[in-house]
Amino acid sequence: MRAHHLVDLEEQYADLLATLDRGEALRRALALLTEGSEVAWTARPDADGVLTLDQVTGDRTGVLRALRVPPSTGLTGKVFQAGRAEWVDDYFGSQEITHDFDRHMAGEKVRRVLAVPLLRDGEPLGVLALGPREDGTFGDRDIERASAIAAQAALAVSVAERARLSREIAVHEERRRMAADLHDSVGALLFAIGSGMADLAEATQADPDLRVRLDRLQRQAVEATTALRESLRTLRSSPAALALGVALRADCAAFADRTGLPAELVILDEDPPELAPSRADVLLTAVREALLNVEKHAQASAVTVSVQRNSPWLTIAVHDDGVGLRPDHTPGLGLTSTAEALGRLGGSVRVVSDPDGGTSWRARLPC
């Protein structure tokens, strides 16, 4: 009997985790959706409506993982834009969808696809899709079942997002309280120590050895005060500001891991810049595109990403020490898309060759 109760408790705990964790909720939805040798995925939109396949199950090649789907492309993009379930019983022969991803579907041997939107209170949260590898047709029961699973998943995603925001607010308030406590206690103590050593140094002018030791202690006190100030700045930062810095550091680290080249992030302000999540997503996507271009074309040995706020603008620059732009350089699709995305938010992007070699990519966005 006790073992039975423990099993029930474990299942309830797993259900709670699924409710509070977006990824786990979507993985469970995919597990419910798939049967046999089918592949299934969920897609999540960014601020521009570009979808990324963030959860994939049943795949064999890996080509679908993290695949980006522009608005209205393929069945996944079409369903997200339309906000209703759609399906094709012959994926490659269908005239109802674009065929941007035929190569990916062929690699996975997918024959037909059913996609349903993840909607909560009319707001599109993503797409849930199923791709059987056998020929056949989707019936009403298939569509109803997928729609029901999508509705459950959308509810779980919505609850998980509210839980995440609540956690962030609680953590932020606790960090601010800790910052205030440290400022009032440790900050005051360091100030008193520094003042006391300064007074003592004035009284020990006749003892050079003691004066040297006091000077060293004063420098250490200044260093400790600087470190405390930096810690307080970080503790006071809002979740949104911290998220942007953390994401940029992660992108620099990922670039370094892929290429073996050093990539340094430099934040040139005392306070981290803060942006709404949708605007931050646009900037992060732009920076990733810039780093990808460095990786492909620059032949660089190092990269620096800098962030500076000069009201009312936030500027992010990506500088490399590579070969620079060719004389006949014309903007590619990636740079054009970046310029359009930033332009819709009142921002801009500019890419130039530096006189001393290398390329500077600079994006500006109102903040």
Side-chain angles (χ1 to χ4, degrees):
M1 184 63 69
R2 290 181 179 176
H4 175 69
H5 288 316
L6 287 174
V7 170
D8 289 343
L9 184 60
E10 183 178 358
E11 290 176 352
Q12 292 172 18
Y13 179 66
D15 289 339
L16 178 62
L17 288 180
T19 302
L20 299 179
D21 183 87
R22 182 184 190 279
E24 180 61 25
L26 293 177
R27 283 190 288 272
R28 286 192 166 208
L30 291 178
L32 288 173
L33 186 64
T34 55
E35 295 177 353
S37 62
E38 300 162 330
V39 59
W41 60 89
T42 61
R44 182 178 190 175
D46 64 14
D48 294 319
V50 177
L51 296 158
T52 299
L53 273 58
D54 57 344
Q55 298 286 341
V56 182
T57 186
D59 60 322
R60 298 171 180 172
T61 66
V63 296
L64 298 180
R65 294 181 179 269
L67 179 67
R68 290 175 61 79
V69 180
S72 299
T73 59
L75 187 63
T76 300
K78 180 182 180 183
V79 165
F80 181 74
Q81 290 293 108
R84 63 176 180 270
E86 296 200 23
W87 60 94
V88 290
D89 291 325
D90 178 6
Y91 186 89
F92 299 100
S94 174
Q95 300 299 312
E96 303 298 321
I97 60 173
T98 70
H99 288 275
D100 301 61
F101 308 106
D102 282 3
R103 177 177 61 84
H104 303 79
M105 294 295 112
E108 287 292 340
K109 302 188 183 303
V110 170
R111 305 300 301 167
R112 50 198 175 102
V113 177
L114 165 64
V116 291
L118 299 173
L119 297 173
R120 187 64 183 167
D121 297 329
E123 179 186 358
L125 305 178
V127 174
L128 182 71
L130 175 69
R133 294 186 171 95
E134 298 85 12
D135 291 328
T137 57
F138 291 109
D140 291 344
R141 184 175 297 178
D142 297 317
I143 298 156
E144 290 173 1
R145 180 170 177 269
S147 297
I149 292 173
Q152 294 175 4
L155 173 60
V157 168
S158 179
V159 171
E161 180 64 14
R162 287 197 294 269
R164 182 187 66 81
L165 290 174
S166 296
R167 290 194 300 269
E168 284 190 353
I169 292 171
V171 169
H172 182 47
E173 291 303 317
E174 178 62 15
R175 290 164 67 95
R176 290 178 64 88
R177 185 194 65 76
M178 291 173 59
D181 288 347
L182 286 172
H183 178 271
D184 294 342
S185 58
V186 179
L189 180 60
L190 285 173
F191 178 79
I193 292 173
S195 298
M197 286 191 295
D199 293 341
L200 187 58
E202 291 294 328
T204 57
Q205 295 286 347
D207 190 335
D209 291 337
L210 184 56
R211 180 60 186 268
V212 169
R213 294 170 64 184
L214 284 172
D215 286 345
R216 183 169 64 251
L217 289 173
Q218 282 183 291
R219 289 194 299 271
Q220 291 172 345
V222 170
E223 291 172 359
T225 301
T226 301
L228 176 64
R229 187 181 300 116
E230 176 67 18
S231 298
L232 294 179
R233 179 185 66 81
T234 301
L235 284 171
R236 292 192 187 106
S237 297
S238 71
L242 286 174
L244 179 61
V246 169
L248 288 171
R249 290 189 190 282
D251 288 336
C252 288
F255 174 89
D257 289 342
R258 290 196 311 269
T259 65
L261 303 177
E264 182 180 5
L265 174 66
V266 180
I267 298 180
L268 300 173
D269 300 282
E270 182 176 350
D271 297 319
E274 181 175 347
L275 288 176
S278 59
R279 300 172 77 82
D281 284 344
V282 171
L283 266 182
L284 290 171
T285 299
V287 171
R288 288 162 189 160
E289 179 66 27
L291 289 172
L292 185 61
N293 284 333
V294 173
E295 181 179 346
K296 289 181 176 178
H297 309 298
Q299 301 177 37
S301 62
V303 177
T304 300
V305 178
S306 62
V307 183
Q308 184 172 25
R309 181 173 52 192
N310 186 9
S311 184
W313 297 98
L314 173 65
T315 301
I316 297 185
V318 178
H319 174 75
D320 68 73
D321 61 354
V323 297
L325 300 176
R326 299 191 308 270
D328 59 346
H329 169 76
T330 56
L333 178 61
L335 182 59
T336 302
S337 298
T338 295
E340 292 174 350
L342 290 169
R344 285 192 289 270
L345 300 177
S348 63
V349 64
R350 185 166 179 256
V351 183
V352 297
S353 288
D354 292 332
D356 56 349
T359 303
S360 286
W361 175 99
R362 184 170 282 102
R364 293 204 314 165
L365 193 64
C367 60

